[in-house]
Amino acid sequence: MRVCIVGASGKLGQYMVQQSLDRGDEVVGVCREQSVGKLDAFKGRITVIPGATDDREVIKRAVAGCGGVLVVLTPRGVHGYSTGTTQAVLDYAPPGARLIFSCGWHITLDGQDVYSLKLKTLVKVFGPLARLARFADLDDQVEAARRIFASDTRWTVVRGSDLEEGESQGLPVWSRHVGDPILESNITRRVDFALFMVEALDNDELVHRAPAIVGRQTPSALAYA
């Protein structure tokens, strides 16, 4: 499969690049021009298209001919970065392509998620502060997700818990709703978050779903699997 990875130079993106190559996929990576050097380890094995991921022409070039698109939704700045990236992918991805987006647990598909006081406080406090500092806009991810959910494309939105580095523990477990006891540990290895994204390309059960994930070897996963 020809796969486009939007946000390829980040930690999550680099894991997805390697995992896609391991599967035998042809990889096209999109990243900001100043971050191209972070992909030097893959030189000669992937096609890199430099540019802002919310640049519609950059995305149009990158997704051409791709059967899958993996998108790291980053709420960078206060100018609708995630929304712009999302809309470009929705508009230009080939018909029938599998579109896999990443975001946090704060996104909800059906309003049936149950959030802890800690998470609600974090979003309520950090969100306005980050926006005030012009660092990030969590509402941008919310709007991006709304557009994805309204789309008739073959989308999946993977909602990640807190992340940590470390060796893979295997494919994370998931639930349709935050608040499920299986998610209680709220931690996933970043390499495994990437693995879930890549594996979702071939998992039709996840089409039009927003799975919330947690590490496979975490206490809650082991207790409730």
Side-chain angles (χ1 to χ4, degrees):
M1 182 188 293
R2 182 177 170 90
V3 175
C4 177
I5 300 176
V6 181
S9 63
K11 292 180 180 179
L12 182 62
Q14 290 183 53
Y15 282 131
M16 290 193 291
V17 170
Q18 185 61 62
Q19 291 162 355
S20 296
L21 290 172
D22 290 344
R23 285 165 30 111
D25 293 328
E26 177 186 352
V27 176
V28 180
V30 181
C31 67
R32 293 182 299 164
E33 219 164 320
Q34 57 267 45
S35 299
V36 170
K38 296 178 180 180
L39 295 172
D40 282 350
F42 305 107
K43 190 170 288 187
R45 293 190 290 160
I46 69 173
T47 300
V48 179
I49 298 182
T53 65
D54 62 344
D55 184 320
R56 292 177 61 81
E57 289 304 312
V58 168
I59 294 298
K60 185 177 182 180
R61 282 179 55 209
V63 302
C66 290
V69 184
L70 302 168
V71 186
V72 180
L73 285 183
T74 305
R76 182 188 301 117
V78 292
H79 301 292
Y81 200 81
S82 288
T83 301
T85 299
T86 294
Q87 194 61 58
V89 170
L90 295 176
D91 289 344
Y92 292 125
R98 278 293 276 128
L99 310 181
I100 317 296
F101 300 85
S102 73
C103 69
W105 277 0
H106 64 288
I107 300 298
T108 184
L109 173 59
D110 56 14
Q112 295 185 39
D113 297 280
V114 179
Y115 296 108
S116 67
L117 179 61
K118 178 182 176 181
L119 183 57
K120 287 191 289 187
T121 301
L122 184 65
V123 171
K124 187 174 181 180
V125 174
F126 173 76
L129 287 176
R131 192 161 53 246
L132 185 64
R134 308 185 73 77
F135 170 71
D137 184 0
L138 295 182
D139 290 340
D140 180 27
Q141 275 195 343
V142 174
E143 173 59 20
R146 186 193 66 78
R147 297 188 187 197
I148 297 166
F149 298 155
S151 167
D152 60 2
T153 60
R154 299 181 68 238
W155 56 263
T156 298
V157 176
V158 182
R159 299 183 293 157
S161 64
D162 291 345
L163 300 178
E164 66 177 0
E165 295 297 339
E167 293 185 5
S168 174
Q169 296 180 333
L171 193 67
V173 298
W174 66 279
S175 175
R176 295 181 67 176
H177 296 112
V178 176
D180 187 326
I182 202 170
L183 302 174
E184 188 176 348
S185 294
N186 186 26
I187 196 72
T188 308
R189 297 280 168 90
R190 186 175 272 103
V191 64
D192 294 331
F193 188 178
L195 180 63
F196 195 96
M197 297 273 291
V198 172
E199 291 295 318
L201 290 168
D202 298 322
N203 189 345
D204 287 344
E205 181 187 0
L206 296 177
V207 173
H208 296 168
R209 293 275 180 89
I213 65 173
V214 76
R216 190 176 200 86
Q217 297 299 319
T218 58
S220 62
L222 293 172
Y224 295 101

